[in-house]
Amino acid sequence: MGMKVFTGIDIGGTNMNIGLVAEQGQVLHETVIPTCPSNGPEDALSRIAGSLSQMLSVHHENLDCRGIGIGIPGLLDTEKGCIIEASNLPGWQHYPITDTLSAKLNMPVFIENDANLAALGEYWLGSGQGAGNLFMITLGSGIGGAILDGGKILKLHPSAGEFGHMIIERSGAVCTCGRRGCLETYVSKHGFERMFREKLSRYPQSSMQHYEAGSVTPQLIAIHAAKGDGLANLIFREAGDTLGIAVSNVINLTGVSRIIVGGGIANAWDLLQEPVMRSLEKNVFRSIFNGVKVCKAALGEKAGFMGAARLAADSVMKS
Ligand SMILES: [Zn+2]
């Protein structure tokens, strides 16, 4: 018998991150392969199986892989091991992912929503270590949110966790979901773009005057904000303040005390932190606020596959 390991896989619309993770959390091997979602799940799973067999053989069979966890961006049937709905993986619905991969590799396979697994990864090995409960936010092209209580994913319905579509403003801007005033109309990629478009004419001196709204990203606005541009700083203050209101609602409702902010936009955390904290201080009930800790995610892109490996370890242990 070799060293006990678990495989974590994070399937995205573009790439799949695969990692071999030891029982104690050391990452022994990791690789990235393209998803090619339009080739269908059968093709992707065959390539995952090939890649994993190769990774295990490099270690001269000293590794004893006990199970596989997979993070998938979408609404899943985790019991049946299939996707119900995933906009980035069209045509993958109802395909038996866990059964197919399990038959190919002869080991148990488990799936879970990717945002939940990123939270689990941070809880295990990142900024959530030692937290009794946590709320993980992922800020990217969309916004994800997941709550863990004692290391367990908290959800009462499989499609719960739509933090990005928490309504902040009753008659706000129209969101990609069709409703109005969602958090995503402020803090996501298109939220930053919208604020830029709406405020540009009021800042004729801005160093961002020559940009087209369609080419503006949160990263670009962050660069200008760091250089002191008034418009860019206003956008970040508004985004941070709005995010703070949404997080305050979650804290007041659940009492969650560790807040972890991850995803691409979290790279600009030094610009968001102050308005977020000011908003929390104003909006969270005093008795709860004193115990709240807000921090940036620590694992970056790796959180997903690390959480997936932990899901596999926990699930194997339970069965
Ligand atoms: Zn929405």
Side-chain angles (χ1 to χ4, degrees):
M1 279 284 119
M3 182 194 222
K4 209 192 277 183
V5 300
F6 297 91
T7 300
I9 303 169
D10 189 11
I11 300 186
T14 310
N15 288 316
M16 305 190 281
N17 289 50
I18 308 175
L20 280 180
V21 184
E23 207 177 2
Q24 309 303 329
Q26 311 94 299
V27 176
L28 303 171
H29 205 123
E30 56 179 298
T31 189
V32 182
I33 60 175
T35 311
C36 311
S38 55
N39 293 350
E42 175 79 56
D43 170 71
L45 294 178
S46 296
R47 285 182 294 111
I48 287 174
S51 212
L52 181 55
S53 305
Q54 202 181 5
M55 280 162 85
L56 287 166
S57 69
V58 169
H59 288 269
H60 310 291
E61 293 175 20
N62 286 330
L63 301 181
D64 175 20
C65 186
R66 296 290 182 92
I68 300 173
I70 309 179
I72 299 172
L75 172 57
L76 313 177
D77 186 330
T78 54
E79 304 267 299
K80 286 193 184 140
C82 65
I83 295 171
I84 297 170
E85 205 182 303
S87 55
N88 290 327
L89 304 169
W92 289 40
Q93 301 94 310
H94 308 295
Y95 183 86
I97 293 174
T98 56
D99 289 350
T100 306
L101 195 59
S102 181
K104 275 185 206 294
L105 293 165
N106 196 29
M107 57 182 90
V109 180
F110 309 89
I111 60 170
E112 182 53 74
N113 172 272
D114 62 342
N116 289 338
L117 292 185
L120 195 55
E122 290 288 341
Y123 169 74
W124 188 23
L125 302 160
S127 300
Q129 288 179 72
N133 58 65
L134 66 84
F135 178 47
M136 166 113 188
I137 303 161
T138 34
L139 304 175
S141 32
I143 300 178
I147 295 182
L148 297 192
D149 182 19
K152 297 275 169 288
I153 298 159
L154 192 72
K155 57 176 179 185
L156 306 177
H157 186 280
S159 41
E162 290 293 352
F163 179 57
H165 301 284
M166 174 180 283
I167 295 169
I168 297 297
E169 219 177 302
R170 198 163 50 167
S171 330
V174 176
C175 181
T176 50
C177 73
R179 302 180 306 149
R180 277 186 183 276
C182 295
L183 178 60
E184 277 194 14
T185 65
Y186 289 89
V187 195
S188 64
K189 187 179 175 298
H190 66 257
F192 275 84
E193 207 182 286
R194 178 188 68 80
M195 289 191 282
F196 175 78
R197 216 180 317 112
E198 288 178 7
K199 298 180 197 310
L200 185 61
S201 64
R202 278 186 275 145
Y203 283 80
Q205 304 302 321
S206 169
S207 57
M208 300 197 72
Q209 271 298 340
H210 61 285
Y211 290 104
E212 296 274 336
S215 68
V216 161
T217 60
Q219 287 76 13
L220 182 69
I221 298 173
I223 290 169
H224 285 264
K227 286 182 187 157
D229 183 66
L231 170 64
N233 274 292
L234 176 75
I235 292 172
F236 266 94
R237 272 203 305 280
E238 198 161 312
D241 184 52
T242 313
L243 179 62
I245 291 172
V247 173
S248 298
N249 289 340
V250 172
I251 296 173
N252 286 337
L253 178 67
T254 62
V256 68
S257 58
R258 180 87 55 101
I259 315 296
I260 302 174
V261 187
I265 297 176
N267 290 331
W269 179 237
D270 51 338
L271 292 164
L272 287 171
Q273 186 172 19
E274 200 198 308
V276 167
M277 293 314 295
R278 218 178 318 115
S279 177
L280 256 56
E281 205 171 344
K282 194 169 80 187
N283 297 311
V284 174
F285 281 93
R286 183 62 37 196
S287 57
I288 312 177
F289 178 77
N290 294 331
V292 170
K293 188 177 165 192
V294 184
C295 45
K296 193 177 157 185
L299 302 178
E301 296 270 285
K302 295 175 201 279
F305 79 72
M306 286 176 157
R310 176 62 190 247
L311 168 78
D314 287 349
S315 306
V316 166
M317 232 86 88
K318 252 194 288 178
S319 60

